[in-house]
Each structure stands twice: as structure tokens, then as C-alpha cells.
Amino acid sequence: MRRKLVAGNWKMNGDRASLAELDLVERAAATHAGVDVAIAVPFTLIERAADRAPDLSIGAQDVHENDRGAHTGCVSAAQVAEAGARFVIVGHSERRGDQGETSHDAWAKAAAAHRAGLSVILCCGETEAERDAGRAERVVQAQVEKSLPDDADGSWLTLAYEPRWAIGTGRTPTLDEIAAIHSIARAKMRHMIGEKADGVRILYGGSVTGDNAAAIMAVPDVDGALVGGASLTAAKFVPIIEAAGA
Ligand code: PGA
């Protein structure tokens, strides 16, 4: 039985004052003990967020694939772990789109995070053109194949399916479309890592709100949500935690 996970991603939003939002989120997480709650904040807020909300899982939004060295402007997995992060998001579509990251990069970053003792949310998802061309399933299969580490299991790795065209747009796939991709991703993981795949959570991400969260999380093989815009305030994020715990 996989526990539901609701993970927020603040992206390049938030400042010290925003950390006050975590108080209500932490309280909601305590009320819904059957749900895991996590929030990836900007690097600069990790330490303060982890101090302020010790019962929440605070994470980073990216790490470098190397453990240390001459990589100006980058941050290592050990560094975010020391700051208090417990997990990191890798392979997010905004990293793929803005920074040209590949599934191989996501694989290397997941491995680096695991070496540093972090959990990983590994993202995949097709573009609108790929979906329109009927290639969504094949694209996600290929991304999973290239980015899932051989030693992945549910104790440290979570997969997130985030169709790029649904991120920040208010548009979502149908529940059947979500079910189809999650089932295919699970099958691909089974092919790669065997029965361990059954312990790996698969989150859906892309315009999740308090209004659609319950229906999406009731879809087979949807084990929670990765939430961008609606994670920025407790008023919008807490209803999603409540939907996961209902
Ligand atoms: P959104 O972002 O909830 O704002 O669509 C999701 C994500 O990028 O993780």
C-alpha cells in the first residue's frame, strides 16, 4: 500500500515572509497523518524553512550531478542536504525547457541525490506537440527508461508525470489519459526494476488545485500530486492535502 504524497514546488517564488505559509501547511500535515507532505523551496530558503517547519519534508528544486568541484553557480546534493533538504526534484520540465536538461541529466542528478542521502522526485511528461502527434505514451516510456536509476525503489524515489502543456496553464488531461500514462509508467518501471516498481509512488502534476485534486488522486496508480502554483499559499495547498487524506 503506497502512502499518498502531496509535494509543493515554489519554483522561483517566495521570500522569508512566505515561510509563514508553512505553519498552516504543517498543521494540516499533522491532521492528515496518512499523507506525506513535502515542499521544494528556493535554495535560499531551505535552511529557514527546515528550521521553521521541522515536521514537513523540505526539499530543493535541483542539484548538480557532481558531488563537488568547479561548477560556478551550481549547488550539490550534499550542500542542500546539509541545509536541511530531505529531497530534491530532478528532471522538471522547466529545467528541460529552460536549461536544456535531458533524461540522462535527470538520471545523473537522481544518482547524486541518492549518494547524498536525499529522496528524489523524478519528473517526466510530454509536450503538447508530442501529445497531439499521439506520442505521449512513447515519450514518457523513453524518459523513464533513460532516467530511472537501476537501484531505484520506493524508499527514496518517486516518479512524477507532468504533461508540460498542463503546467501552470489551468488545463489538465482527462482522468482516463492520466490513468493510461501512469499505468504505462508503472509497467515500464516493472520491466526495469521488477517488483520494486510497485513500491514507487507516481505523482500527477500540472494545474492541480483543491477543486480537481480528489478526482485526480482517485485515479488508479496516482499516488499523490506535484503542485506548483497552488502550493504558494496555505489557503490553496491545504485543500489538496485534505483531498489526499479523504
Ligand atoms: P502547476 O505546476 O501546479 O503550477 O501547474 C506544476 C509543476 O510544475 O510541478
Side-chain angles (χ1 to χ4, degrees):
M1 189 60 191
R2 297 180 294 267
R3 286 166 60 86
K4 289 270 194 283
L5 168 62
V6 176
N9 173 11
W10 281 10
K11 308 189 180 183
M12 202 170 70
N13 298 296
D15 52 23
R16 287 185 197 173
S18 319
L19 296 175
E21 299 294 332
L22 298 181
D23 300 351
L24 283 174
V25 173
E26 195 175 33
R27 208 173 308 159
T31 315
H32 297 279
V35 181
D36 292 333
V37 180
I39 301 203
V41 297
F43 289 130
T44 50
L45 295 176
I46 289 173
E47 191 147 12
R48 282 172 192 271
D51 283 349
R52 181 164 185 143
D55 293 337
L56 284 180
S57 178
I58 299 297
Q61 300 167 18
D62 183 42
V63 287
H64 196 272
E65 63 268 31
N66 291 344
D67 294 339
R68 68 186 63 76
H71 303 288
T72 302
C74 300
V75 181
S76 76
Q79 288 170 329
V80 299
E82 186 182 41
R86 296 191 215 166
F87 76 97
V88 62
I89 298 169
V90 301
H92 191 279
S93 73
E94 284 150 18
R95 301 289 313 173
R96 293 176 192 257
D98 296 351
Q99 271 78 31
E101 289 188 6
T102 63
S103 293
H104 179 79
D105 295 327
W107 171 84
K109 288 175 181 219
H114 188 41
R115 284 196 297 279
L118 295 170
S119 296
V120 168
I121 297 178
L122 171 63
C123 301
C124 60
E126 81 285 358
T127 63
E128 184 154 32
E130 288 164 342
R131 175 157 288 272
D132 289 347
R135 295 180 50 231
E137 297 180 356
R138 263 174 294 153
V139 166
V140 170
Q141 279 177 320
Q143 289 172 336
V144 172
E145 180 160 341
K146 289 181 189 147
S147 59
L148 188 75
D150 288 347
D151 58 351
D153 67 51
S155 70
W156 66 275
L157 189 125
T158 296
L159 193 69
Y161 167 56
E162 298 203 301
R164 279 202 208 181
W165 52 273
I167 294 179
T169 59
R171 296 162 55 207
T172 57
T174 66
L175 299 179
D176 285 347
E177 286 167 342
I178 294 173
I181 298 280
H182 280 235
S183 156
I184 270 174
R186 174 92 51 214
K188 186 75 201 171
M189 289 198 292
R190 268 200 205 113
H191 186 68
M192 295 174 70
I193 59 171
E195 284 176 7
K196 287 187 298 175
D198 292 333
V200 175
R201 291 184 282 202
I202 308 179
L203 311 183
Y204 167 78
S207 298
V208 175
T209 66
D211 292 335
N212 62 21
I216 289 171
M217 285 191 274
V219 171
D221 269 312
V222 174
D223 304 307
L226 181 54
V227 184
S231 72
L232 294 174
T233 62
K236 290 188 172 167
F237 196 49
V238 167
I240 300 172
I241 297 169
E242 288 169 345

